[in-house]
């Protein structure tokens, strides 16, 4: 019995194991070079968009396997708009650059307002006009790439991009570090230790509570395993970050988003409604769930998270370009699918998505580290996705 | 005694942890209709899956002897080649395709890379005639009714040169008229020498068509009853074998409480079809129900009963509504919203528990609280303890058989699923329950338990509207019965004064008048 349950545990956490294996593989391929503080900083700074868009995509997919193809193009379009609002570089008399220089707070507010408006429009089209989501978002996938490029071409006919974003904006969304220090960043390690301690405490505390209340609990070694792995992962990440610069701003954004959505999906009525709408829309409707509102909210939410991802992306490149956000939608979808989110809706967790997004991030970075060509990178990502889905289907078959 | 066509000897089939079949024996004579009865989960379908090769040879123990030789089927095609054809309970037809295309799906006529359409449709028409259908085989499946679709399934089986036809609950979605026609068709096939096995829950059908009845209980053959005597085998006799005890009364007696005031009244209620608004699906219907009263709405399938109930339930069906709805004597203007109906303490317990009632991939807990999530949460945050306690409470109250309320609803038997569905709506604390076919497709024992729950609800002062196409159920459970036909209420009778004959007569009269 024991060996069987261990097998079941392995099966359930296979993506976590794959993640570790892939990481080790890259470390070996780079003769240890991949295991560096730099990699960890990169992972959380340059792949923050996968986590944020992945969260939004998760909410869409929960409602019935619906996806948003437009988010990558939206990153380009909103980035161009945002740079147009806030850039301080007006060019020269001979070569004028059309920018507004509105200041950071107003620019952020306007971007959020536009994100809200776009999300409302998309949600309205999908939930109330009932355009199939992939068609509705495909139109914006095309239109926004074109619009963004046109805006950039018009604003700066020379470089066809807008640079010189205000320093404070860059600090908030990318460059900033929590508690900066010279040399080794002690505050970062302390926060890591505290977080690891909190995870261990919460795991054992909730287990104890469940036993007291007479609920079913997982075997004790599972709790030890989870606590051990969770704490080790957090301490590893944070100590490596501490060796580099410290806690970077994108990580704070990502952790904030993940915590909020973990709470929404697992503890609130609205989160429950997302799951039931995706599992059986008709049963949900006949139970008094406003199914159209849920669909609307999924896409409104996606647009707002996309706006946030846009800001981080702008700050990362310090420039708005016409190829910004290229294929981001695919990374977000891949993160969800690899993370075990059901392609037909109703099942999937934030934690799974985080593991999926980390795997995508590690693959992204690792392939750059081993200097794989761009086209090979696509091939590898494609097969990872296929393997994830095939594995998912096979493991479900076995259960029956 | 005739020649034995099929013999299944000592069939044992184990799934991980469960013995689904335990030394089952079945003998079917050539040219007879053999009924297989048993409660849900007794192992009837498993046995037929073993026979047809869905569970291939080697995954079970025992022997199948068919037409004198031992058979080792490894896939469905193997058994079909021998002439063993199953018609499953859920119709396997593609709505967008024509009748002819459907009949030869996977068995296409003509060459490998070119379908011979003339031959396909000519053959299809031939078999359609054999089952008494006059439709052209070029019509789309979706344009004909369920009853005729069932006949197409049979024609499809005939086209496979069936010698042994297995019908799994063929009448479960048919009305009485279509059911009778189907059973008569079976009898005429029998005259032509066809051998058939029928699996059904409807015991009156069993005694009508079957030559022999084999009862299966808990994965074992209990007995085989001969139905050739002068008296047909009584339903009570079969039930005794199925449940292992005598059920003297299939309907629990209600300590008759005097119904209270009129709780809900519907007047001149008219609802139109969402796709064809010129069609009135519910036509000028007026009904009322008192507190603590059970009213039955009886009618054939397609009479507009479900549509009436759903349109009252927050206009969840139909368009172009007119009429008045009164609750406690006050007119209510209800918006087109299920949430609004729940707020007015109305519950609609659907006839289609798997389709639009339950979420099979979620736990009992999630399903129980779904319609009233607010009761176990504060400020939209769900209280896990409260939710668990609520699910536990109803598991105990309705005696839902499950190891834990964390169990997925999809893993439960039909009867227990129906109880979860009831639990969900009882948890929403309604005053009026619209129960649509509350005992469809569940076994005798579970039915009895559901009836007890309905009686308890009525005794607690709830108003019950029970829609059913089983006349004995309607007559024994309700105080008053409305008879519905073609969207209209054609009769209202006290259940104590009505008989099955008088109600059927009323329906036939109204059909003639129209």
């Amino acid at each position: 019995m024991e060996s069987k349950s261990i097998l079941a545990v392995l099966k359930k956490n296979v993506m976590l194991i794959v993640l570790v294996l892939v990481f080790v593989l890259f470390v070996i391929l780079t003769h240890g070079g991949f295991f560096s503080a730099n990699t960890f900083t990169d992972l959380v700074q340059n792949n923050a968009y996968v986590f944020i868009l992945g969260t939004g995509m998760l909410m869409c997919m929960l409602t019935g396997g619906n996806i948003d193809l437009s988010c990558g193009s939206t990153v380009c379009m909103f980035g161009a708009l945002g740079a147009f609002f806030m850039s301080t570089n007006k060019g020269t008399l001979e070569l004028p650059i059309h920018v507004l220089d509105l200041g950071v707070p107003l620019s952020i507010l306007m971007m959020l307002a536009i994100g809200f408006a776009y999300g409302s429009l998309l949600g309205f089209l999908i939930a109330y006009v009932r355009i199939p989501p992939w068609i509705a978002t495909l139109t914006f996938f095309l239109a926004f790439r074109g619009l963004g490029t046109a805006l950039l071409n018009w604003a700066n006919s020379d470089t066809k991009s807008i640079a010189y974003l205000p320093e404070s904006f860059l600090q908030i969304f990318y460059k900033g570090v929590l508690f900066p220090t010279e040399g080794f960043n002690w505050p970062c390690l302390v926060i890591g230790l505290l977080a690891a301690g909190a995870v261990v405490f919460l795991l054992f505390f909730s287990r104890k509570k469940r036993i007291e209340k007479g609920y079913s609990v997982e075997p004790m070694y599972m709790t030890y395993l989870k606590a051990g792995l969770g704490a080790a992962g957090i301490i590893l990440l944070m100590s490596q970050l501490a060796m580099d610069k410290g806690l970077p701003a994108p990580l704070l954004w990502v952790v904030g988003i993940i915590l909020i959505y973990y709470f929404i999906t697992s503890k609130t009525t609205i989160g429950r409604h997302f799951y039931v709408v995706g599992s059986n829309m008709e049963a949900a409707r006949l139970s008094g769930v406003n199914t159209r509102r849920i669909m609307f909210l999924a896409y409104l939410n996606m647009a707002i998270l996309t706006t946030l991802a846009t800001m981080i992306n702008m700050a990362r490149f310090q420039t708005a370009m016409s190829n910004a956000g290229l294929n981001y939608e695919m990374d977000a979808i891949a993160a969800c699918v690899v993370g075990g989110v059901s392609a037909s809706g109703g099942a999937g967790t934030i934690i799974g998505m985080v593991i999926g997004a980390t795997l995508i991030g590690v693959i992204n970075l690792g392939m750059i580290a081993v200097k794989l060509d761009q086209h090979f990178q696509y091939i590898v990502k494609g097969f990872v996705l296929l393997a994830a889905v095939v594995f998912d289907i096979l493991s479900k078959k076995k259960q029956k | 005694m005739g020649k034995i066509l099929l013999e299944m000897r000592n069939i044992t089939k184990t799934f991980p942890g469960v013995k689904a079949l335990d030394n089952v024996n079945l003998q079917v004579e050539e040219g007879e209709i053999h009924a297989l009865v048993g409660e849900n989960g007794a192992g009837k379908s498993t046995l037929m899956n073993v026979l047809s090769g869905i569970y291939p040879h080697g995954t079970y123990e025992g022997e199948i002897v068919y037409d004198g030789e031992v058979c080792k089927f490894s896939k469905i095609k193997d058994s079909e080649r021998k002439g063993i054809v199953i018609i499953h309970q859920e119709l396997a037809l593609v709505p967008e395709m024509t009748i002819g295309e459907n009949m030869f799906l996977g068995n296409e006529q003509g060459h490998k890379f070119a379908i011979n359409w003339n031959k396909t449709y000519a053959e299809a028409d031939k078999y359609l005639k054999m089952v008494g259908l006059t439709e052209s085989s070029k019509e789309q499946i979706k344009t004909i009714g369920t009853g005729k679709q069932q006949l197409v399934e049979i024609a499809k089986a005939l086209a496979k040169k069936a010698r042994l036809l297995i019908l799994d609950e063929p009448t479960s979605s048919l009305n009485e008229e279509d059911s009778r026609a189907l059973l008569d068709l079976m009898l005429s096939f029998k005259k032509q020498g066809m051998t058939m096995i029928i699996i059904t829950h409807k015991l009156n059908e069993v005694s009508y068509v079957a030559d022999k009845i084999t009862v299966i209980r808990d994965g074992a053959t209990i007995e085989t009853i001969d139905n050739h005597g002068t008296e047909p085998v009584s339903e009570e006799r079969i039930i005794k074998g199925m449940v292992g005890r005598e059920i003297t009364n299939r309907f629990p007696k209600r300590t008759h409480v005097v119904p209270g005031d009129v709780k809900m009244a519907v007047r001149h209620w008219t609802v139109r079809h969402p796709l064809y608004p010129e069609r009135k699906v519910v036509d000028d219907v007026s009904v009322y129900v008192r507190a603590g009263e059970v009213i039955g709405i009886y009618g054939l399938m397609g009479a507009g009963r479900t549509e009436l109930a759903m349109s009252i339930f927050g206009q969840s069906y139909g368009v172009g509504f007119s009429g008045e709805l009164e609750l406690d004597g006050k007119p209510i203007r209800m918006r087109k919203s299920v949430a609004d109906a729940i707020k007015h303490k109305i519950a609609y317990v659907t006839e289609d528990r798997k389709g639009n009632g339950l979420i099979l991939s979620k736990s009992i807990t999630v399903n129980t609280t779904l319609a009233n999530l607010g009761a176990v949460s504060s400020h939209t945050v769900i209280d896990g303890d409260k939710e668990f306690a609520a699910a536990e409470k109803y598991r105990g109250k309705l005696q839902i058989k499950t190891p834990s309320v964390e169990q997925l609803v999809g893993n439960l038997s039909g009867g227990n699923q129906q109880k979860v569905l009831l639990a969900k709506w009882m948890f929403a604390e309604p005053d009026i329950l619209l129960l649509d076919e509350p005992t469809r497709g569940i076994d005798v024992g579970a039915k009895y338990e559901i009836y007890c729950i309905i009686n308890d609800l009525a005794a607690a002062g709830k108003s019950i509207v029970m829609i059913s196409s089983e006349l004995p159920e309607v007559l024994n459970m309700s105080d008053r019965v409305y008879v519905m036909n073609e969207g209209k209420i054609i009769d209202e009778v006290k259940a104590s004064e009505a008989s099955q004959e008088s109600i059927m007569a009323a329906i036939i009269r109204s059909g003639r008048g129209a």
Side-chain angles (χ1 to χ4, degrees):
Chain A
M1 243 2 244
E2 189 77 333
S3 65
K4 242 186 200 166
S5 64
I6 286 176
L7 203 71
V9 167
L10 284 181
K11 228 181 219 170
K12 232 175 139 187
N13 297 290
V14 73
M15 277 308 148
L16 204 57
I17 297 160
V18 170
L19 175 61
V20 174
L21 290 180
V22 168
F23 187 81
V24 171
L25 177 76
F26 282 123
V27 172
I28 294 169
L29 284 177
T30 55
H31 308 292
F34 191 60
F35 189 84
S36 72
N38 217 340
T39 301
F40 286 90
T41 307
D42 259 4
L43 188 64
V44 291
Q45 258 188 322
N46 297 346
N47 287 291
Y49 75 90
V50 187
F51 294 90
I52 294 172
L53 295 179
T55 304
M57 199 66 81
L58 168 73
M59 301 309 283
C60 292
M61 286 182 73
L62 282 184
T63 65
N66 301 311
I67 50 173
D68 178 5
L69 292 172
S70 74
C71 58
S73 297
T74 311
V75 165
C76 166
M77 163 72 183
F78 284 8
L81 269 178
F84 171 64
F85 292 153
M86 72 177 78
S87 174
T88 51
N89 181 13
K90 302 210 155 139
T92 57
L93 263 181
E94 301 85 60
L95 264 178
I97 299 174
H98 304 278
V99 293
L100 298 180
D101 190 11
L102 293 175
V104 173
L106 186 57
S107 300
I108 290 178
L109 219 59
M110 283 180 63
M111 284 180 75
L112 284 174
I114 290 168
F116 189 87
Y118 167 59
S120 305
L121 173 67
L122 193 59
F124 175 76
L125 289 175
I126 288 168
Y128 297 97
V129 188
R130 301 211 198 183
I131 299 176
W134 70 271
I135 294 178
T137 58
L138 181 67
T139 58
F140 289 101
F141 165 82
L142 297 168
F144 275 176
R145 179 71 57 192
L147 266 172
T149 309
L151 178 63
L152 290 170
N153 288 354
W154 166 78
N156 185 347
S157 53
D158 182 29
T159 61
K160 306 198 190 323
S161 64
I162 304 175
Y164 294 101
L165 304 181
E167 183 61 24
S168 64
F169 180 79
L170 303 185
Q171 288 291 337
I172 296 170
F173 289 104
Y174 190 77
K175 282 161 106 183
V177 168
L178 195 66
F179 307 124
T181 54
E182 290 297 318
F184 190 83
N185 189 299
W186 285 105
C188 177
L189 186 64
V190 171
I191 291 172
L193 290 173
L194 287 176
V199 166
V200 172
F201 173 76
L202 281 177
L203 275 170
F204 282 95
F205 184 71
S206 77
R207 184 190 159 86
K208 189 165 153 262
K209 274 271 165 223
R210 284 182 73 88
I211 291 175
E212 273 170 18
K213 288 172 190 158
Y215 297 171
S216 61
V217 286
E218 56 196 13
M220 194 64 189
Y221 69 86
M222 263 310 289
T223 314
Y224 275 116
L225 203 67
K226 271 188 186 171
L229 277 178
I234 292 173
I235 294 172
L236 175 70
L237 173 70
M238 297 301 266
S239 60
Q240 292 291 327
L241 290 178
M243 276 187 245
D244 196 22
K245 279 180 286 189
L247 259 180
L251 181 62
L252 295 176
W253 285 107
V254 167
V255 169
I257 297 282
I258 288 169
L259 289 180
I260 292 170
Y261 283 82
Y262 174 75
F263 182 75
I264 292 176
T265 51
S266 61
K267 303 269 189 249
T268 65
T269 53
I270 188 109
R272 176 69 59 81
H273 287 173
F274 272 85
Y275 284 94
V276 297
V277 164
S279 304
N280 186 338
M281 173 126 19
E282 200 48 23
R285 183 178 78 94
L286 288 178
S287 303
V289 176
N290 191 337
T291 54
R292 293 191 187 190
R293 190 168 135 251
I294 296 294
M295 294 292 286
F296 177 84
L297 287 178
Y299 283 90
L300 175 60
N301 172 65
M302 182 76 205
I304 290 169
L305 286 179
T306 306
T307 313
L308 176 62
T310 306
M311 294 179 191
I312 292 174
N313 198 57
M314 286 164 70
R316 173 183 169 194
F317 292 106
Q318 304 185 12
T319 311
M321 295 170 294
S322 66
N323 66 350
L326 205 59
N327 293 328
Y328 280 14
E329 64 283 344
M330 295 304 159
D331 281 345
I333 294 169
C336 286
V337 173
V338 171
V341 179
S342 164
S344 53
T349 60
I350 288 282
I351 306 219
M353 188 280 298
V354 166
I355 293 170
T358 312
L359 184 59
I360 296 289
V362 166
I363 292 172
N364 278 344
L365 285 173
M367 288 191 300
I368 295 168
V370 298
K371 303 195 177 62
L372 213 58
D373 274 340
Q374 185 81 34
H375 47 273
F376 278 118
Q377 296 191 18
Y378 284 132
I379 296 173
V380 171
K381 268 201 229 173
F383 280 109
V384 167
L385 197 58
L386 180 67
V389 178
V390 167
F391 184 85
D392 187 44
I393 290 170
L394 287 183
S395 67
K396 270 183 193 141
K397 225 181 225 168
K398 281 270 166 62
Q399 278 166 18
K400 276 182 187 169
Chain B
M1 203 155 131
K3 178 191 158 207
I4 301 290
L5 179 67
L6 169 77
E7 188 173 5
M8 300 181 80
R9 286 191 203 133
N10 302 325
I11 303 287
T12 298
K13 166 86 188 163
T14 23
F15 292 109
V18 212
K19 211 170 208 179
L21 296 176
D22 189 5
N23 273 314
V24 171
N25 289 291
L26 179 69
Q27 274 193 349
V28 181
E29 266 179 56
E30 176 135 43
E32 73 171 358
I33 298 181
H34 198 113
L36 207 54
V37 299
E39 294 191 281
N40 279 342
K44 296 163 296 183
S45 299
T46 312
L47 186 64
M48 291 302 107
N49 289 343
V50 166
L51 174 58
S52 64
I54 291 177
Y55 299 131
H57 177 78
T59 61
Y60 58 87
E61 292 156 41
E63 270 190 324
I64 300 174
V65 182
Y66 176 75
D67 203 13
E69 52 180 301
V70 178
C71 294
K72 295 173 178 173
F73 301 130
S74 58
K75 52 182 187 294
I76 300 177
K77 280 266 174 194
D78 293 349
S79 60
E80 284 188 351
R81 208 167 292 138
K82 294 264 181 190
I84 303 175
V85 182
I86 288 202
I87 299 171
H88 288 283
Q89 189 176 357
E90 279 95 24
L91 297 177
L93 298 169
V94 186
E96 298 292 331
M97 286 188 173
T98 64
I99 296 175
E101 282 174 306
N102 267 291
M103 276 176 62
F104 292 100
L105 207 60
N107 182 22
E108 281 79 7
Q109 301 298 296
H111 298 290
K112 225 171 196 167
F113 296 106
I115 296 174
N116 183 341
W117 289 112
N118 290 331
K119 188 177 170 202
T120 301
Y121 286 115
E123 287 278 303
D125 281 331
K126 189 178 96 192
Y127 288 112
L128 284 183
K129 221 163 274 158
M130 285 172 71
V131 297
L133 281 180
T134 50
E135 270 76 9
S136 154
S137 59
K138 289 185 180 169
E139 271 183 49
Q140 276 183 328
I141 283 288
K142 64 178 180 187
T143 59
I144 63 175
T146 329
K148 288 180 175 173
Q149 288 181 5
Q150 189 76 47
L151 294 177
V152 170
E153 278 281 9
I154 292 174
K156 185 175 162 184
L158 295 180
K160 288 176 182 164
K161 309 273 185 285
R163 227 179 124 193
L164 172 63
L165 196 60
I166 302 161
L167 300 104
D168 190 355
E169 305 243 11
T171 59
S172 65
S173 55
L174 301 189
N175 62 36
E176 303 223 345
E177 213 174 316
D178 286 346
S179 299
R180 182 49 73 99
L182 186 107
L183 297 175
D184 286 336
L185 185 69
M186 285 178 71
L187 290 172
S188 79
F189 283 161
K190 184 178 124 183
K191 279 202 190 113
Q192 296 160 23
M194 172 93 76
T195 314
M196 280 162 281
I197 299 177
I198 179 172
I199 299 176
T200 178
H201 277 298
K202 299 186 183 165
L203 299 179
N204 56 341
E205 295 178 354
V206 172
S207 42
Y208 181 64
V209 293
D211 298 303
K212 284 213 205 84
I213 303 156
T214 293
V215 181
I216 295 188
R217 186 170 79 224
D218 301 329
T221 25
I222 299 302
E223 56 183 343
T224 298
I225 313 169
D226 211 331
N227 193 18
H228 277 310
T230 43
E231 285 276 301
V233 177
S234 74
E235 293 182 23
E236 279 68 26
R237 172 74 187 77
I238 305 172
I239 290 172
K240 188 185 151 202
M242 282 168 66
V243 298
R245 68 197 137 89
E246 204 116 18
I247 291 191
T248 43
N249 197 345
R250 281 155 68 190
F251 302 98
K253 273 280 159 288
R254 186 139 55 100
T255 43
H256 213 88
V257 278
V258 184
D261 296 333
V262 173
K263 180 75 197 164
M264 178 180 78
V266 163
R267 283 197 204 92
H268 307 297
W269 195 255
T270 298
V271 181
R272 290 160 190 278
H273 194 282
L275 296 180
Y276 312 106
E278 67 280 0
R279 230 183 91 199
K280 288 180 186 170
V281 185
V282 177
D283 190 359
D284 196 27
V285 163
S286 299
V287 294
Y288 70 90
V289 57
R290 297 172 183 278
E293 187 183 35
V294 180
I295 65 164
I297 298 187
Y298 175 79
L300 303 178
M301 201 158 281
R305 304 163 307 167
T306 296
E307 292 79 1
L308 170 65
M310 286 182 78
S311 62
I312 293 172
F313 186 60
Q315 306 184 353
S316 48
Y317 171 90
V319 293
F321 304 90
S322 65
E324 295 133 43
L325 175 64
E326 266 181 23
L327 295 178
D328 295 316
K330 288 185 214 76
I332 298 288
R333 279 218 51 80
M334 200 183 286
R335 289 182 296 131
K336 192 179 171 72
S337 144
V338 170
D340 216 24
I342 296 173
K343 217 175 288 157
H344 282 106
K345 299 207 164 294
I346 302 177
Y348 168 69
V349 182
T350 177
E351 59 177 336
D352 183 8
R353 61 173 171 267
K354 287 185 180 175
N356 59 24
L358 295 167
I359 295 170
L360 300 179
S361 58
K362 296 280 174 238
S363 67
I364 296 173
T365 315
V366 168
N367 276 282
T368 304
T369 56
L370 181 56
N372 193 11
L373 211 45
V376 290
S377 46
S378 58
H379 306 293
T380 79
V381 177
I382 300 170
D383 183 333
D385 294 340
K386 267 194 197 165
E387 189 177 31
F388 184 81
E392 276 292 338
K393 181 180 151 199
Y394 280 93
R395 165 167 93 149
K397 210 169 173 180
L398 306 190
Q399 297 177 359
I400 299 167
K401 289 180 201 81
T402 168
S404 139
V405 288
E406 299 300 312
Q407 185 72 238
L408 300 187
V409 169
N411 295 341
L412 301 177
S413 70
N416 281 311
Q417 286 182 356
Q418 190 67 27
K419 287 184 195 166
V420 175
L421 186 62
L422 272 171
K424 166 175 138 179
W425 286 110
M426 285 163 72
F427 182 66
E429 296 178 335
D431 290 335
I432 302 153
L433 284 109
L434 313 170
L435 308 178
D436 199 348
E437 303 277 6
T439 63
R440 167 178 291 174
I442 64 178
D443 56 57
V444 182
K447 272 188 183 179
Y448 188 85
E449 290 179 275
I450 300 274
Y451 295 144
C452 290
I453 297 166
I454 294 175
N455 284 349
D456 288 346
L457 287 168
K462 311 283 184 196
S463 308
I464 313 278
V465 177
M466 188 176 74
I467 294 170
S468 173
S469 19
E470 284 183 42
L471 261 177
E473 179 175 286
V474 172
L475 290 175
N476 282 289
M477 290 300 299
S478 3
D479 298 306
R480 278 182 302 126
V481 179
Y482 289 101
V483 184
M484 203 168 173
N485 196 31
E486 290 169 0
K488 293 191 176 79
I489 296 287
I490 54 168
D491 205 358
E492 180 193 339
V493 284
K494 272 206 174 121
S496 51
E497 293 163 7
S499 68
Q500 302 203 21
E501 289 74 18
S502 68
I503 287 181
M504 281 316 289
I507 289 181
I508 291 164
R509 261 202 316 278
S510 95
R512 217 173 278 151

